[in-house]
Amino acid sequence: MSEKPGEGAQDPNAPVTMLLTPVRLDYTVVAGHHLSQYLQGFAQKRILGARCEGCNKVLLPPRGACPTCGIPTAGIVEVQDQGTLTTYCVISIPFGNMPFKPPYIAGAVLLDGADIPIFHLIRGIEPSEVRMGMRLKAIWKDEAELGPTLESIRWFEPSGEPDADYETFKEHL
Ligand SMILES: [Zn+2]
């Protein structure tokens, strides 16, 4: 038997050592009850969370049960489209499908009324000026462009309010 790679394939008695199998998978994800409500909310310029009566936290995106308390959430609540930047990163390295030319900022925004931050693009401020605790507001797409997606918010940008005190968001990092 030959030791050269590939030649074994021509010997009908050689053991099979490799099999190339192209795979294609088409699938549909069903968002489920709570996540569907969350996504549909964006089409109406509303951001929806779910409150847990055990710990009183508002989960965002909403879930049917609180992962901390292990009990069903009490119901859907609307949170504000403004909040506090808890953490962020500056993207400086180009890659495919970038939303903007680098450098640009992505950050975790703790919306007023929510206990879990959402991740989104931050604009309207230079990367050298961005900081934890900045107050931000959502910049929504035009009414006709709204849809059941987080992309209904173009990005967040500074609201002009004074920075939030670290004590107010340190539990949400
Ligand atoms: Zn809870």
Side-chain angles (χ1 to χ4, degrees):
M1 188 183 293
S2 169
E3 294 294 319
K4 290 184 182 173
E7 288 192 4
Q10 295 167 4
D11 177 358
N13 297 318
V16 176
T17 57
M18 182 183 290
L19 186 65
L20 293 178
T21 309
V23 173
R24 179 186 164 88
L25 203 56
D26 289 319
Y27 58 91
T28 302
V29 174
V30 178
H33 180 70
H34 285 80
L35 198 53
S36 291
Q37 284 185 287
Y38 174 68
L39 293 171
Q40 291 297 340
F42 287 107
Q44 304 163 0
K45 285 180 88 164
R46 300 172 72 208
I47 307 173
L48 304 175
R51 182 179 300 284
C52 170
E53 287 186 328
C55 60
N56 212 34
K57 285 184 175 170
V58 172
L59 311 175
L60 191 71
R63 295 175 185 210
C66 175
T68 306
C69 305
I71 59 173
T73 48
I76 295 292
V77 293
E78 187 167 353
V79 304
Q80 302 298 306
D81 66 351
Q82 60 187 29
T84 300
L85 182 65
T86 58
T87 59
Y88 65 91
C89 69
V90 177
I91 294 94
S92 304
I93 301 170
F95 60 91
N97 296 324
M98 299 190 83
F100 306 109
K101 189 166 174 270
Y104 66 94
I105 308 159
V109 185
L110 182 67
L111 297 173
D112 294 348
D115 286 283
I116 299 172
I118 62 169
F119 294 90
H120 217 297
L121 298 164
I122 314 298
R123 301 204 85 191
I125 185 162
E126 290 298 320
S128 58
E129 301 287 319
V130 71
R131 57 200 178 273
M132 294 169 73
M134 282 189 63
R135 294 287 296 164
L136 303 169
K137 62 181 179 185
I139 303 299
W140 293 86
K141 287 184 172 175
D142 294 337
E143 209 75 35
E145 296 177 292
L146 295 176
T149 166
L150 195 53
E151 290 181 356
S152 288
I153 296 175
R154 292 183 197 278
W155 56 72
F156 284 82
E157 64 181 39
S159 66
E161 298 165 274
D163 286 2
D165 185 34
Y166 178 70
E167 294 296 316
T168 64
F169 62 87
K170 70 175 185 182
E171 300 296 330
H172 303 278
L173 297 174

